[in-house]
Amino acid sequence: MNTSPVASDAALAASDVVAEMLDTDRQIAALQARQLSLLGRAGAIAAEQTARIPINAQREREMPLRSIAAELAAALRRSDRGMQNRIHEATTMLRQFPSTVQSLQDGRIDIAHLRVIGDVGTRIADPDARALFEQAALAVAERETAGRAKPIITMLAHRIDPVPSTERHATAAAGRRVWVRDLEDGMAEVVALLPAPLAHGIRDRLTQYARILVDQSNVGDGDADADEHDSGALPARTMDQRRADAFSDLLLTGHASAAESDGAICETDAIVARIQVTVPVAALTGADAPAALQSHGPIDARSARHYASTAAGWDRLFIDPATGNVQDADRYRPSRAQRRLLRGRDEHCRFPGCRAAVWVCDIDHTIDFAHGGPTQACNLAHLCKRHHTLKHHTAWSVRQRPDGVLMWTSPTGRVYSDVPQRALEFHAATQSGAPPPF
């Protein structure tokens, strides 16, 4: 059978593409192995610094790894928490699965295979059993795609691991958690990692609620998993939508229907009493100096100290020593108006790459209040607990510009800027010629 020259040329061209793809894939795999090695070195540097810190100083022992993870993350524009996880994973792979890393280096597997072996194999605590598992897993990974290899490798781990399945389940259950994954169009996923019986039980209960929560109608439902719709005056809801609504109502109100919670919280429950007490510094430090209750008069120092210790915030008054007039006022805790402004400006933690919402962050004084830093927007910024402690317990430092931009300096001297999100959006829009986004 004769083949045309055109067909032969196409076959040769395709062969060249395949050969180049194979070579490129091997190079990428080698670079990924090198990246693992570099992350392992970062972990070793942090471990060496940690070893010099006393065992009982738990928080201080966390800082070397946090600091170097933050350094790498800022340089690569990544999340430092994610970078810390990558350092941990790389250290684990290099120590526990050296043959797998070498196979990646040689281009016999790709990074997806390595992750499958690492995810499954790290559960095997016995070193000899883990080494046996690694060799068996590599024999599969070097022949199959990662997707086809995963169930086989998982079964190998279960067969080789000497730990009983009940103990393995108990260990897995200890990792149960709930997290949120943001999606497009104002939506998000609430994801829960739970023991399978609980997860299926939750879905079944939501289905039962969904069957009885009809939209102003007595229409019965058929198969719970069907794409069903209600009839009636209000927009119809599918069974999936009913499950989602019941899920939200149960968690947010304690009832399967939001209507059942109407009036559960009385408006008067939100009303709190307010008093204003002026306390001399001497009274706060233990002296028997009188304090003053607004519209009443003097009160004893002991009561004043009690009110000061339980107050949500207190103002610092600057008094003219010659006249006694109040020249200025400042407070450690930001006012409600300042908190609103900062929430609108910051939107999330202001460490480079961190997206922790302002609701879980502290409001930090860029220049410490104790060192004269004012409680003003130009000296305040939201920092999550992780980065708040990083600022105070490592060599990371920060300076705030008048426009709210934070200039972070790392322990190696590199400077990373964090621009408020709205300002960044505005700049990007105007640079592109588009109208401002707000």
Side-chain angles (χ1 to χ4, degrees):
M1 180 178 177
N2 295 326
T3 57
S4 69
V6 174
S8 298
D9 290 345
L12 287 172
S15 178
D16 288 344
V17 170
V18 170
E20 286 194 39
M21 280 291 292
L22 285 170
D23 184 57
T24 301
D25 209 48
R26 281 192 288 268
Q27 292 181 47
I28 290 172
L31 288 172
Q32 288 171 328
R34 182 184 174 192
Q35 194 174 56
L36 284 174
S37 177
L38 290 170
L39 290 169
R41 282 170 56 188
I45 292 170
E48 183 181 348
Q49 294 174 338
T50 302
R52 295 196 288 266
I53 301 173
I55 290 290
N56 58 353
Q58 187 59 42
R59 171 174 286 185
E60 287 74 9
R61 286 177 65 83
E62 296 174 2
M63 292 304 133
L65 180 57
R66 286 194 191 184
S67 182
I68 198 167
E71 176 83 53
L72 289 171
L76 298 173
R77 298 184 302 282
R78 306 283 174 81
S79 156
D80 68 301
R81 190 181 293 274
M83 187 61 67
Q84 186 171 330
N85 289 337
R86 289 181 63 187
I87 292 173
H88 172 72
E89 291 163 3
T91 301
T92 299
M93 291 302 302
L94 290 164
R95 184 177 65 251
Q96 297 185 358
F97 302 99
S99 297
T100 303
V101 177
Q102 186 60 52
S103 187
L104 179 68
Q105 172 72 42
D106 297 339
R108 297 195 300 273
I109 63 171
D110 62 28
I111 195 68
H113 292 103
L114 179 137
R115 287 173 180 148
V116 168
I117 293 174
D119 290 345
V120 175
T122 48
R123 305 169 193 170
I124 303 176
D126 181 80
D128 294 334
R130 190 167 57 241
L132 181 62
F133 159 78
E134 182 182 24
Q135 296 311 310
L138 281 174
V140 176
E142 291 177 4
R143 294 183 54 184
E144 298 285 357
T145 64
R148 293 183 64 178
K150 184 174 182 177
I152 304 172
I153 291 173
T154 302
M155 184 58 69
L156 286 171
H158 277 268
R159 289 178 178 173
I160 293 172
D161 192 352
V163 177
S165 60
T166 52
E167 292 187 28
R168 290 200 302 269
H169 172 71
T171 301
R176 59 192 181 278
R177 62 192 180 101
V178 177
W179 68 99
V180 175
R181 182 184 297 121
D182 290 323
L183 304 176
E184 301 296 326
D185 302 319
M187 300 297 287
E189 291 179 337
V190 178
V191 188
L193 179 62
L194 300 169
L198 296 182
H200 286 281
I202 289 170
R203 189 179 188 277
D204 180 67
R205 189 175 187 190
L206 289 173
T207 299
Q208 293 179 53
Y209 276 121
R211 282 176 171 159
I212 62 174
L213 294 177
V214 294
D215 294 331
Q216 294 187 344
S217 72
N218 294 319
V219 177
D221 293 308
D223 182 1
D225 291 314
D227 185 19
E228 304 167 58
H229 292 78
D230 299 321
S231 62
L234 295 178
R237 289 189 299 171
T238 66
M239 181 59 72
D240 281 338
Q241 288 170 338
R242 289 182 189 171
R243 287 193 194 96
D245 293 344
F247 176 82
S248 300
D249 291 337
L250 281 167
L251 287 180
L252 293 174
T253 72
H255 301 282
S257 171
E260 297 181 25
S261 293
D262 285 350
I265 300 177
C266 178
E267 289 183 0
T268 56
D269 292 343
I271 298 175
V272 295
R274 294 180 297 183
I275 62 172
Q276 180 173 318
V277 180
T278 304
V279 189
V281 173
L284 292 177
T285 57
D288 192 24
L293 174 63
Q294 184 184 33
S295 302
H296 171 74
I299 61 172
D300 64 282
R302 183 177 179 181
S303 297
R305 285 192 290 271
H306 169 72
Y307 294 137
S309 68
T310 58
W314 23 297
D315 299 330
R316 178 172 58 177
L317 303 180
F318 296 88
I319 308 296
D320 186 335
T323 65
N325 291 331
V326 177
Q327 292 181 314
D328 197 3
D330 193 10
R331 60 164 31 201
Y332 176 70
R333 294 184 183 275
S335 66
R336 183 175 299 177
Q338 287 174 322
R339 292 197 298 271
R340 286 199 297 266
L341 184 152
L342 291 167
R343 286 196 297 266
R345 185 196 72 182
D346 293 347
E347 299 192 24
H348 49 64
C349 171
R350 295 295 308 283
F351 188 84
C354 184
R355 298 184 67 244
V358 292
W359 311 108
V360 297
C361 292
D362 300 326
I363 297 180
D364 173 66
H365 287 74
T366 306
I367 300 173
D368 287 355
F369 186 78
H371 297 157
T375 305
Q376 297 174 4
C378 61
N379 190 52
L380 298 171
H382 284 89
L383 295 180
C384 67
K385 298 286 186 186
R386 177 185 181 83
H387 296 124
H388 198 171
T389 55
L390 187 77
K391 175 192 172 213
H392 288 290
H393 293 88
T394 72
W396 280 87
S397 61
V398 62
R399 175 176 61 85
Q400 183 167 174
R401 295 192 336 206
D403 57 0
V405 174
L406 298 188
M407 307 299 296
W408 288 88
T409 302
S410 76
T412 61
R414 290 179 173 84
V415 178
Y416 305 98
S417 62
D418 186 83
V419 183
Q421 182 170 320
R422 295 180 190 277
L424 192 60
E425 290 176 8
F426 186 90
H427 178 75
T430 53
Q431 288 290 102
S432 65
F438 34 77

